[in-house]
Amino acid sequence: MTHLLRGKQAGIQGDFSAGLASDLFAIDEITRYGINSQISQIAYDPVQSLLAVGTNDTKFGHGQIYVFGQKRVSVTFQIPGKASVKFLRFCSDRIICLDSKNNLSMYSLESKKLINEYSPPAAVTAVETDSSLDYALIGTASGEVIAYDMDREAMAPFRLPHFWKEQNPRAMATPIVSLQLHPRDVGTLLIGYSEGAVIYSFKQNKATKFLHYRLTPGAPGGDLDPAVWKMDRSPKLTQALWHPTGTFVLTGHEDSSLVFWDPTQARIVMARTLQDTKIDQPGAVTSIQSAQNGKGTMAVKEPLFKIAWCANKDPDDTGILVAGGAPTNLPTKGLTFFELGRTPVYATSSWQLISDHFENPKRQRVLPTPPNVSVVNFCLIPRTSPHFAGAQDPIAALALLSSGELITLSFPSGLPITPTNQLHVSLTFVHPFVNHVALSSVERTRWLGMTEKRAHGPPILSGGAEGPSPLRRFETRSVVQTAHVDGTVRLWDCGHGDEVENSSLLQADVARAVGRFDHIEVAQTSLAGGSGELACGLRSGEVIVFRWSHNRHAGQEPPSPKPNNPNGLTDVSDRMDPSLSDGLFPFTLLDQHDGHVTALKLSDVGFLAAGFEGGSLAIVDLRGPALIYNSSVADFVRQEKKGAFRRNSQQGSPKPDWSTTLEFSVMTLDGDDYSSICLHVGTNQGHVATFRILPDPSGRYTVQFAGSINLESPVIHIAPLNADNGTHAYAYQSTVSQLRSGLKVPGFLLAVAQLSVRIFKPATNKGAHRTWDDALCDRAAVVRYEGATGGHALVVLFGTGQARAFSIPGLRDLGAAPISPILDPRRLGDACIAPNGEILGWTGPSELALLTVWGVGGGTGAGKTPAPPPSSSSAPLSSSVSPVLPRKEPTSTTITTSEDTLLNPELLIAPRPTISNMQWIAGTQYITPADMDVLIGGPERPPSRRMVAQARADEQQRRAAGRAGASSSSASAAAGARAEAVGQQDEGYWAYMQRQINERTEKLGIMGDSMDKLETNSAGWADDVGKFVNRQKRNLVMGAMKSKFGL
């Protein structure tokens, strides 16, 4: 009977939840956005234009692999067991992953499934793959190299011993730290041990060169401590890599030394750091004095995290990109890029010229990153080629910072690239981190028209294809606003598990609108779904309004901003982003100077309300714009009396009171005979105040205080409802336009506080209420069931990790379900509840889950265990008040298979670069990928699946050509050519080498014949010249004699 009395007390006759049964309330997960844990590895495939991101196993989630393509294309692979991703790379149509548990996993881009998992017999420290090979070369901690046949899914018989023992027999087990195949000769492997590097030749089956970096006493090396210079030492190697043409070798060491080698002589060309050169020579002058600060303390250098030897379209035009290696006290940090320019011709250049090439680069620059963080890893974005270690003609660099964030920089200029519409929306959660999220409903037609035009470079991700999705389920779209730590606000449609028609993102630059780029932290956002306007409130006290507009001065930098008007409005329409042609531009700014913004609401009809920590409340009419109300909460909220108890003279001053929630409505207030625009304000002390916004004869609007009530605890949510049908009584544009014709909206308020809920007719009617049985409410909203029965319900999220539904207006229990297995119970206060029953909440620091309360009880389908069945409607809440819950342990289940397509089989990988003709004629033995199959897989290895597929494709092409009426002669010629090609593929390794020698001998013989002919022709020409000279001499003598005798 209690719920019946509540409806009567509120003055509401109907039951707006009559069609809702308890079995309708069930939590289902729709989708997820963001990254579940800390990013550890990044990989890029320029052929398929896909980006892969691997994560660590942390308390927030297990290690996973995300593969992103164009628009919303996304596929997630689960790492077997609880492990972190240590190595990640694309290889043809596979993804190769090495995890922290020493497991090598292969995933198929075509089937989007785990192909195979292999546990090597020793600890893996390095992995090398090549798109032209079916093998993964694995370096171990014992110094051996083994091979795994990815096509046969088994170990290959190939194994290399610990070569460094040949250089130092006393050396213990030296781990391999890096492996890299020669960029032009696949038959040469660079093995980096912790003590030095070794060049191994597959064709000679032996180590040909040893590169050992040793510093004699007096050589500074990369150490900053002069006391170390007096010792004979060998800094440990951290990475070894080839020049893009294989002409030189670069090794990086733990003392930040960069050593350039001549691999033909195993000789050091140049040893340097980022600042100093010739550091391997005793007495070399270094910049150690500049590395000390004013107190004389010694600076510490960062380790060399990663090195990449980049190449332009011409592989001889190179540069080196270095992460780390700089002193920690440098004011500017980032990636260091050495632009070397065109490499000198090795055969014709002097040793001094080659040494100067690495000592004095054409240009050295720093690609800046945010302050107080370091780049610990990066991934280059090549334009087209996957060869040259993925570093040929890069257009951008995606850097991983020590904070776990990502930053995209143009290459080689180093300008920051916004991830908006360049990367997947999930990557924007860590580009940089998100500190605030809000959810708004926007009309579908308006959202389809909100597509910004921004100047940007070539797209980074253009691969993959989105899978089929159900047609749109609602005419309103759920638009998410994410505020990032750099002052950027991004808007995007999270969908309803249906087709997202407009998948592009919008970006609003709050820092540019405010006029400064430091101390920018967005605390509140509000999006008006009817007008498309956006309001952002900062912790520094400013409120900025953005409007959709066109930039007539696109491409031109705006003038320097003028100072903001304190305690008033400032026109900021000239602070436009020059790279944006159409989009959200700043309109006006309110600088209140009264603490950070605690509540913000932008209505569809041109009114803005903002509450501040100092207690002030400001209302702005955007038609001017004009500030039509500016007062304090203490001025209109009356103090509640305590009955017969008398105040003690020693009682402290009243607690500060500020706005916590704001809402605009159109309804008839208690005692009025007309409807008006109303503003409802909830405060942290439990007050709910109501204001009328009425037109003034002067053409403006005035604000009148109508009254308030007290709920005794902080107000969480205010929902204005229509008393006739239970729908929301918001200030819609269609409703406000009918006020002049005498429209009356009978309404009531449903105000939810931390400890109770109240239904009443504003402004001062007490109505009916219910307490929350000793549990604290974190978030609440009124939702509608879109099924056949319809109906409205109040959905409440409690700090105990439980979601409950209550009827309106009786507030009886409709259902309950635990939500903590999916969402982080500590962040339920940051969750958002949409009017259709969808919940957007945090599962971790950088991942959001989209749920629905009108599910089928399937729980979580995207990587979490199914939720327990909902409890009965009479089940009480937890008896504890807001307990501090331990963070849930991430579960280990299978990720739901995505319907998106990743692999495009029509995109072919370009042939691997080979040695030059002059190198081949000079005697360099070239090993083909087919030879590597014999050398690594053995002579008994059957044809790979790729070879079988190619043969099948050739056969299908032959049959198609035959059906097209190809002539028998051409068909036989083609068959002969294929037979010859197949014969060459099936021949053994030694037969192949014999054929190569014969071909080279034949070509050398042809060249010898040409030289003999040249010698013969030259001798004949000399004889002809001699005869001509003798003839001329004879004619001269005979002419003289004839003239003497008068003949």
Side-chain angles (χ1 to χ4, degrees):
M1 297 296 296
T2 305
H3 62 274
L4 297 177
L5 294 177
R6 291 194 185 103
K8 299 297 182 180
Q9 292 174 357
I12 303 171
Q13 303 300 324
D15 184 3
F16 304 132
S17 306
L20 301 181
S22 59
D23 58 348
L24 294 177
F25 187 80
I27 302 296
D28 276 358
E29 181 174 333
I30 300 174
T31 186
R32 293 197 180 193
Y33 294 98
I35 306 297
N36 73 320
S37 186
Q38 183 183 26
I39 295 178
S40 60
Q41 294 293 325
I42 313 171
Y44 180 73
D45 184 358
V47 178
Q48 297 292 335
S49 190
L50 299 174
L51 182 69
V53 172
T55 63
N56 286 325
D57 179 49
T58 63
K59 64 179 181 180
F60 302 107
H62 298 320
Q64 293 181 357
I65 300 175
Y66 298 87
V67 182
F68 300 113
Q70 62 175 333
K71 297 181 179 179
R72 299 293 176 88
V73 175
S74 174
V75 175
T76 304
F77 297 104
Q78 186 82 5
I79 301 297
K82 300 179 180 180
S84 304
V85 179
K86 290 176 55 181
F87 172 87
L88 191 65
R89 181 176 294 181
F90 287 94
C91 184
S92 186
D93 59 345
R94 309 179 186 93
I95 295 180
I96 312 301
C97 170
L98 175 69
D99 59 39
S100 57
K101 291 191 174 181
N102 206 49
N103 294 325
L104 190 68
S105 305
M106 283 151 290
Y107 302 87
S108 171
L109 294 178
E110 183 178 8
S111 63
K112 298 170 294 185
K113 296 180 180 179
L114 175 66
I115 302 175
N116 192 30
E117 181 186 2
Y118 170 68
S119 296
V124 179
T125 55
V127 179
E128 172 68 353
T129 62
D130 192 273
S131 57
S132 63
L133 301 177
D134 291 327
Y135 304 93
L137 301 177
I138 302 173
T140 63
S142 60
E144 296 181 340
V145 177
I146 57 178
Y148 181 77
D149 192 336
M150 297 183 291
D151 183 77
R152 301 288 103 186
E153 300 178 3
M155 277 291 297
F158 179 81
R159 181 183 293 266
L160 295 180
H162 190 343
F163 287 119
W164 196 253
K165 288 187 177 180
E166 300 179 12
Q167 175 73 8
N168 184 11
R170 297 182 179 180
M172 301 297 290
T174 306
I176 295 176
V177 295
S178 68
L179 291 172
Q180 188 176 10
L181 290 168
H182 194 287
R184 289 187 176 272
D185 183 7
V186 74
T188 303
L189 178 66
L190 179 62
I191 307 174
Y193 295 91
S194 60
E195 294 188 5
V198 172
I199 299 177
Y200 169 77
S201 173
F202 283 91
K203 43 187 168 289
Q204 300 181 35
N205 193 23
K206 68 175 184 179
T208 58
K209 299 295 179 182
F210 293 85
L211 312 179
H212 186 206
Y213 179 49
R214 184 175 180 180
L215 295 174
T216 58
D223 294 299
L224 294 178
D225 187 2
V228 184
W229 299 357
K230 302 177 182 180
M231 298 184 294
D232 189 351
R233 61 200 187 279
S234 296
K236 291 188 177 298
L237 185 142
T238 58
Q239 188 178 353
L241 59 159
W242 290 100
H243 182 278
T245 61
T247 311
F248 303 98
V249 170
L250 172 61
T251 58
H253 299 264
E254 66 177 6
D255 66 343
S256 303
S257 296
L258 300 172
V259 185
F260 298 88
W261 300 83
D262 178 5
T264 60
Q265 305 178 31
R267 179 182 174 187
I268 295 179
V269 179
M270 174 58 60
R272 62 168 302 155
T273 60
L274 300 183
Q275 297 84 17
D276 307 317
T277 60
K278 299 179 180 180
I279 58 175
D280 60 328
Q281 300 177 10
V285 179
T286 65
S287 57
I288 184 174
Q289 291 81 6
S290 62
Q292 298 178 355
N293 57 26
K295 298 181 181 180
T297 58
M298 189 67 61
V300 179
K301 278 189 177 182
E302 296 176 335
L304 291 173
F305 295 109
K306 187 175 181 179
I307 310 171
W309 205 325
C310 313
N312 209 332
K313 292 182 179 179
D314 181 6
D316 282 320
D317 188 3
T318 69
I320 298 175
L321 188 63
V322 182
T328 55
N329 59 356
L330 288 181
T332 303
K333 294 184 179 181
L335 294 169
T336 303
F337 180 64
F338 294 96
E339 186 178 347
L340 300 177
R342 190 166 183 81
T343 306
V345 180
Y346 180 81
T348 60
S349 300
S350 64
W351 189 263
Q352 183 63 37
L353 180 63
I354 297 176
S355 179
D356 291 342
H357 176 72
F358 298 113
E359 181 181 1
N360 302 308
K362 291 176 57 178
R363 188 180 295 106
Q364 179 177 346
R365 68 180 70 178
V366 175
L367 282 58
T369 57
N372 303 323
V373 292
S374 303
V375 177
V376 296
N377 195 2
F378 64 84
C379 175
L380 293 173
I381 309 297
R383 196 178 300 272
T384 56
S385 174
H387 304 299
F388 299 101
Q392 185 184 24
D393 194 20
I395 60 175
L398 192 61
L400 175 62
L401 305 179
S402 57
S403 60
E405 297 170 292
L406 295 178
I407 184 173
T408 307
L409 303 173
S410 62
F411 190 86
S413 60
L415 299 177
I417 298 176
T418 175
T420 303
N421 298 323
Q422 281 282 17
L423 301 177
H424 191 273
V425 62
S426 292
L427 288 177
T428 63
F429 280 63
V430 291
H431 201 300
F433 288 140
V434 176
N435 58 4
H436 175 76
V437 63
L439 185 65
S440 301
S441 297
V442 180
E443 297 178 1
R444 171 179 168 269
T445 54
R446 175 168 292 279
W447 176 250
L448 290 179
M450 297 176 68
T451 303
E452 70 174 23
K453 297 180 181 179
R454 184 181 299 271
H456 56 78
I460 295 177
L461 299 179
S462 59
E466 293 182 87
S469 300
L471 297 178
R472 63 182 186 274
R473 299 178 179 177
F474 304 100
E475 284 299 321
T476 58
R477 307 305 300 175
S478 296
V479 178
V480 181
Q481 306 116 59
T482 55
H484 301 258
V485 296
D486 62 347
T488 301
V489 177
R490 296 187 176 95
L491 289 73
W492 45 277
D493 184 2
C494 67
H496 310 284
D498 56 356
E499 178 185 2
V500 178
E501 297 173 290
N502 181 10
S503 60
S504 61
L505 281 71
L506 305 180
Q507 177 175 318
D509 192 347
V510 177
R512 183 181 293 273
V514 176
R516 67 175 189 274
F517 293 91
D518 56 341
H519 304 291
I520 300 294
E521 184 178 355
V522 179
Q524 299 288 333
T525 61
S526 178
L527 177 64
S531 61
E533 297 173 327
L534 173 68
C536 300
L538 277 65
R539 289 199 172 274
S540 53
E542 296 93 346
V543 176
I544 308 98
V545 178
F546 293 84
R547 275 184 174 178
W548 191 267
S549 182
H550 173 72
N551 187 3
R552 297 181 180 179
H553 305 285
Q556 302 178 11
E557 192 67 29
S560 301
K562 298 179 181 179
N564 299 328
N565 182 22
N567 300 315
L569 297 176
T570 304
D571 183 9
V572 292
S573 58
D574 58 340
R575 301 176 184 179
M576 293 185 172
D577 187 349
S579 63
L580 189 62
S581 300
D582 293 280
L584 290 171
F585 292 98
F587 171 63
T588 187
L589 180 145
L590 172 64
D591 193 357
Q592 187 73 0
H593 284 286
D594 193 26
H596 72 266
V597 180
T598 58
L600 189 65
K601 184 63 181 180
L602 182 59
S603 71
D604 291 346
V605 293
F607 293 101
L608 170 69
F612 300 87
E613 186 183 23
S616 62
L617 174 68
I619 303 177
V620 179
D621 183 2
L622 298 179
R623 294 165 182 81
L627 184 62
I628 60 176
Y629 186 87
N630 192 358
S631 182
S632 176
V633 173
D635 295 339
F636 59 80
V637 175
R638 57 187 175 88
Q639 298 292 333
E640 297 293 334
K641 295 182 179 180
K642 302 298 181 181
F645 290 96
R646 208 171 37 174
R647 291 183 180 272
N648 194 326
S649 59
Q650 297 180 354
Q651 186 176 0
S653 59
K655 296 181 179 180
D657 202 2
W658 61 79
S659 304
T660 57
T661 182
L662 303 168
E663 192 58 71
F664 288 94
S665 69
V666 172
M667 63 174 60
T668 303
L669 300 181
D670 190 20
D672 292 346
D673 58 354
Y674 61 92
S675 294
S676 61
I677 302 175
C678 302
L679 172 64
H680 310 283
V681 182
T683 71
N684 69 309
Q685 294 298 324
H687 299 285
V688 178
T690 301
F691 295 85
R692 300 184 187 91
I693 302 178
L694 303 174
D696 190 76
S698 63
R700 296 192 175 186
Y701 283 82
T702 59
V703 179
Q704 297 179 359
F705 174 66
S708 68
I709 65 170
N710 194 354
L711 300 184
E712 304 294 342
S713 62
V715 180
I716 303 298
H717 179 72
I718 297 176
L721 302 176
N722 191 311
D724 291 338
N725 50 28
T727 60
H728 288 95
Y730 293 139
Y732 298 114
Q733 294 178 352
S734 58
T735 307
V736 174
S737 63
Q738 300 180 44
L739 290 179
R740 291 186 177 181
S741 59
L743 175 68
K744 293 184 179 181
V745 180
F748 66 95
L749 287 185
L750 192 152
V752 183
Q754 278 190 348
L755 299 177
S756 63
V757 57
R758 183 177 294 273
I759 297 179
F760 65 99
K761 186 177 180 63
T764 59
N765 193 314
K766 294 294 184 180
H769 77 284
R770 173 178 175 170
T771 59
W772 294 134
D773 302 331
D774 297 331
L776 295 182
C777 168
D778 287 338
R779 186 63 64 185
V782 175
V783 302
R784 173 177 172 80
Y785 177 63
E786 299 292 342
T789 59
H792 296 79
L794 172 65
V795 175
V796 182
L797 305 182
F798 292 96
T800 56
Q802 196 174 36
R804 299 190 66 177
F806 300 91
S807 65
I808 300 175
L811 298 179
R812 71 178 186 276
D813 294 86
L814 292 179
I819 202 171
S820 56
I822 311 173
L823 303 182
D824 186 352
R826 299 183 181 184
R827 302 191 65 179
L828 289 181
D830 299 328
C832 306
I833 305 177
N836 58 6
E838 293 176 349
I839 301 175
L840 188 69
W842 293 99
T843 64
S846 300
E847 186 183 41
L848 287 172
L850 182 64
L851 317 175
T852 178
V853 299
W854 309 122
V856 296
T860 65
K864 299 294 179 181
T865 54
S871 57
S872 62
S873 59
S874 60
L877 296 175
S878 175
S879 58
S880 59
V881 179
S882 185
V884 179
L885 298 178
R887 182 66 179 95
K888 66 180 185 298
E889 178 67 19
T891 56
S892 177
T893 56
T894 304
I895 295 295
T896 301
T897 303
S898 172
E899 297 295 332
D900 297 339
T901 301
L902 294 178
L903 185 67
N904 183 359
E906 297 181 357
L907 299 176
L908 303 179
I909 300 176
R912 197 179 195 277
T914 61
I915 59 177
S916 63
N917 293 333
M918 293 303 298
Q919 289 176 316
W920 188 85
I921 293 175
T924 301
Q925 181 63 47
Y926 172 59
I927 300 296
T928 65
D931 300 329
M932 297 292 288
D933 288 340
V934 178
L935 294 174
I936 298 178
E940 302 300 328
R941 180 180 185 268
S944 64
R945 295 185 180 93
R946 181 166 47 182
M947 296 173 63
V948 173
Q950 182 64 36
R952 186 182 297 112
D954 292 343
E955 179 63 21
Q956 293 177 357
Q957 186 178 5
R958 184 189 66 80
R959 292 180 179 179
R963 286 192 299 266
S967 62
S968 58
S969 58
S970 61
S972 59
R978 282 194 297 273
E980 181 181 357
V982 173
Q984 291 181 0
Q985 289 182 356
D986 293 340
E987 65 181 345
Y989 175 69
W990 297 109
Y992 167 78
M993 292 189 63
Q994 183 65 34
R995 180 168 58 83
Q996 291 287 318
I997 293 174
N998 293 337
E999 290 180 5
R1000 182 178 291 108
T1001 305
E1002 181 182 352
K1003 293 187 178 182
L1004 291 175
I1006 293 174
M1007 181 174 290
D1009 294 341
S1010 300
M1011 296 301 294
D1012 293 341
K1013 291 180 181 180
L1014 178 61
E1015 182 179 2
T1016 304
N1017 295 335
S1018 300
W1021 180 80
D1023 293 342
D1024 294 339
V1025 172
K1027 291 179 181 179
F1028 175 77
V1029 172
N1030 293 333
R1031 189 185 309 113
Q1032 293 298 325
K1033 289 180 179 180
R1034 186 170 59 253
N1035 292 337
L1036 179 61
V1037 173
M1038 294 300 295
M1041 292 178 63
K1042 289 180 180 181
S1043 62
K1044 189 170 183 178
F1045 288 100
L1047 297 177

